[in-house]
Amino acid sequence: MIHAVVGAQYGDEGKGKMVDYFAGQADMVIRYQGGGNAGHTIVNEYGKFALHLVPSGIFHEGTMCVIGTGVVVHPMNLVRELKMLRDAGIPAQNLVISERAHLVLPYHIWQDEYEEQIRSRKVGTTKQGIGPAYQDKAGRFGLQIGEMRDVQHFRERLTAAWELKLRKMPGLAEVAGSFDEMWDELMAAREVLLPLVQDTLPLIRDAVRGGKHVLLEGQLGVMRDLDWGVYPFVTSSNPIAGAVAVGAGVPPTAIGRITGITKAYTTAVGEGPFPTQLEDEIGRWLQEKGGEYGATTGRPRACGWLDAAALRYGAWLNGYTELALMKLDVLSGLSEVRICTGYELNGQQHAWPLPAWQYEHVTPIYETLPGWREDISDCRHFDDLPENARRFVERVEALTEVKIRYISVGPRREQTIERT
Ligand code: GDP
Ligand code: IMO
Ligand code: MG
């Protein structure tokens, strides 16, 4: 059965925690899009980790981890991440990389920085070269990781790509270092990665045909989807579940379960509209209590109320079969909590997010619910939760029309309530 785990907000919802949680029962975990812009935090018996490229199933020895075709891979960063894991005592043996995954090259990182500088309004990217790598892929200037197998072929292709970049961006050579430096770094990374690079399709096909539990790990979330997010303040791939088929290489009809991951409030890093953002005491309180600082860039995350209208939008786009409501423990201590149910713009009401140029002018419509004071981080059953916390959960279910099957009350794997 194919089970996708997707971000329902602006990223950082807690996908890493839930993939690690589900991975104990899974045979395979596949990343299907994104790249090193991901920062997926996992807290388990080995410690605390922020994974960027390696799938969050890597802590389970029997679980095969696949970096899928739709992912863009910075080879040197992947080598560093593998070393970090092995230094922490995680063997990270069961990892394979699709030969068709595209490379993020050092000049993409520089280009990411440069494009941010020349924009009239910044996107606020993670500066991991993600946009430029996907641009090159779509523009047919990219290189697939499998091309590294044949050194002579790879050198010819890389030389051509580099020369083209220099023609497009003449200042590149001074800031991005020399071709030879890049080449040496890539050849060193090649030694480590080449044994992992393969045609992943037979592996995935056999797993799906054999009825194995295959998890698909999304990067980022609906609101930063290239097509459906707050364009242009989005990433350059599609986090929504529709991308699973393309990025992993599975037929769309095989996807049987889709878990949307949402916090009990909303956070965002980067620029662009965020209607329920709180620029007051409560916003700062959520940021501190929730430890809302980016796992990749360390940037503080803007915080605000839960946006059920955005969740409902994501429910349509993704077809969630269930939701996981994360960080409910962070809301403990508020006298009241709010949920956004829609928006108003020029006297008109809207039930779903609008394109960004309009969305930045909407006023959220809120419902207010009573809060709760109790620490809930030790609750393991729905009935253990204070009544007002249960009412909050049930109200989110009613507004989104999706069952909340998991409630997370802390960063650790076991701090999870499963409802039947
Ligand atoms: P991801 O990118 O979706 O994997 O999410 P991140 O790892 O970037 O951000 C989620 C943060 O919240 C991490 O620091 C997690 O350790 C933490 N976290 C996850 N679930 C919970 C929870 O239920 N309660 C609390 N307090 N923290 C959580
Ligand atoms: P995970 O997988 C939160 C945001 C950036 C910026 C926009 C584009 O941990 O949820 P990019 O570098 O992709 O070109 O940046 O997307 N962004 C994320 N925000 N979590 C992430 O990943 C993100 N990856 C990118 O802040 O607004
Ligand atoms: Mg993250």
Side-chain angles (χ1 to χ4, degrees):
M1 191 249 310
I2 297 193
H3 174 191
V5 177
V6 297
Q9 301 174 302
Y10 293 80
D12 301 330
E13 298 91 349
K15 298 175 291 292
K17 169 175 165 166
M18 290 312 289
V19 170
D20 174 63
Y21 177 85
F22 292 131
Q25 311 296 321
D27 301 287
M28 186 180 277
V29 181
I30 313 173
R31 280 273 311 263
Y32 59 93
Q33 45 72 237
N37 48 353
H40 294 182
T41 315
I42 291 134
V43 186
N44 58 23
E45 68 270 30
Y46 296 101
K48 181 176 176 180
F49 302 87
L51 296 180
H52 304 290
L53 280 160
V54 174
S56 300
I58 202 72
F59 302 94
H60 298 274
E61 246 175 73
T63 308
M64 178 62 79
C65 288
V66 181
I67 296 182
T69 297
V71 176
V72 289
V73 180
H74 187 293
M76 286 69 87
N77 285 351
L78 179 55
V79 169
R80 273 188 279 274
E81 195 167 318
L82 286 172
K83 182 172 182 316
M84 176 277 288
L85 286 169
R86 287 177 184 148
D87 287 350
I90 293 106
Q93 295 293 0
N94 292 330
L95 177 72
V96 294
I97 309 165
S98 166
E99 62 185 359
R100 292 171 187 263
H102 273 247
L103 289 172
V104 178
L105 293 157
Y107 52 75
H108 289 133
I109 306 238
W110 181 84
Q111 189 182 339
D112 200 350
E113 189 117 8
Y114 172 71
E115 288 177 349
E116 279 287 83
Q117 277 168 26
I118 62 171
R119 282 183 215 281
S120 56
R121 267 185 80 181
K122 293 190 194 318
V123 172
T125 76
T126 58
K127 302 204 174 138
Q128 294 299 309
I130 304 300
Y134 278 117
Q135 283 177 44
D136 277 359
K137 177 178 173 179
R140 289 139 310 159
F141 298 115
L143 277 83
Q144 295 178 327
I145 196 164
E147 294 185 72
M148 287 178 114
R149 282 203 196 101
D150 180 336
V151 175
Q152 197 190 334
H153 160 86
F154 183 63
R155 192 170 171 104
E156 281 166 19
R157 288 266 290 133
L158 188 67
T159 306
W162 171 253
E163 282 169 1
L164 239 155
K165 277 284 169 214
L166 288 179
R167 278 169 63 188
K168 285 189 183 167
M169 286 185 273
L172 183 70
E174 286 151 46
V175 284
S178 71
F179 179 89
D180 289 341
E181 248 174 83
M182 172 171 71
W183 180 256
D184 292 346
E185 283 183 5
L186 284 166
M187 286 303 104
R190 177 180 181 273
E191 289 293 303
V192 181
L193 300 183
L194 218 52
L196 313 179
V197 175
Q198 65 182 63
D199 175 6
T200 48
L201 214 51
L203 199 72
I204 294 171
R205 186 199 53 202
D206 289 351
V208 175
R209 281 192 179 159
K212 304 278 191 210
H213 187 171
V214 178
L215 273 178
L216 277 301
E217 177 175 1
Q219 191 268 325
L220 247 180
V222 182
M223 297 303 289
R224 300 241 189 256
D225 184 277
L226 179 59
D227 288 86
W228 296 101
V230 287
Y231 190 91
F233 308 100
V234 293
T235 194
S236 297
S237 69
N238 295 103
I240 62 171
V244 161
V246 179
V250 295
T253 46
I255 306 169
R257 186 174 164 197
I258 301 168
T259 311
I261 313 292
T262 175
K263 283 175 183 163
Y265 50 100
T266 309
T267 67
V269 267
E271 304 297 318
F274 173 8
T276 63
Q277 183 178 353
L278 290 167
E279 289 175 280
D280 61 5
E281 274 301 296
I282 299 180
R284 282 187 288 279
W285 184 84
L286 287 171
Q287 190 178 71
E288 283 315 308
K289 186 151 186 238
E292 297 297 354
Y293 297 90
T296 299
T297 59
R299 291 179 292 177
R301 298 172 182 150
C303 298
W305 296 119
L306 183 68
D307 187 342
L311 290 184
R312 207 161 42 215
Y313 176 68
W316 167 252
L317 288 167
N318 285 291
Y320 303 136
T321 52
E322 65 206 21
L323 281 171
L325 186 70
M326 314 299 288
K327 298 190 122 173
L328 188 64
D329 55 303
V330 176
L331 291 187
S332 292
L334 292 170
S335 55
E336 51 184 37
V337 284
R338 291 180 149 200
I339 306 175
C340 167
T341 58
Y343 319 97
E344 201 187 278
L345 181 67
N346 303 326
Q348 272 202 321
Q349 295 205 352
H350 298 270
W352 276 358
L354 305 172
W357 60 278
Q358 294 173 299
Y359 200 45
E360 49 188 5
H361 303 296
V362 302
T363 307
I365 301 165
Y366 286 116
E367 233 179 65
T368 304
L369 274 74
W372 60 93
R373 303 226 161 260
E374 297 86 337
D375 177 357
I376 60 170
S377 54
D378 290 327
C379 294
R380 296 291 178 270
H381 302 280
F382 188 61
D383 293 340
D384 298 342
L385 293 172
E387 190 189 344
N388 287 346
R390 279 183 276 141
R391 275 173 67 183
F392 177 81
V393 172
E394 283 162 356
R395 190 63 196 136
V396 178
E397 276 184 326
L399 288 167
T400 55
E401 296 174 19
V402 185
K403 180 170 176 68
I404 295 177
R405 183 154 168 209
Y406 301 92
I407 298 164
S408 175
V409 292
R412 287 184 285 116
R413 196 189 275 165
E414 63 275 15
Q415 290 178 302
T416 310
I417 296 172
E418 180 171 356
R419 293 166 77 204
T420 45

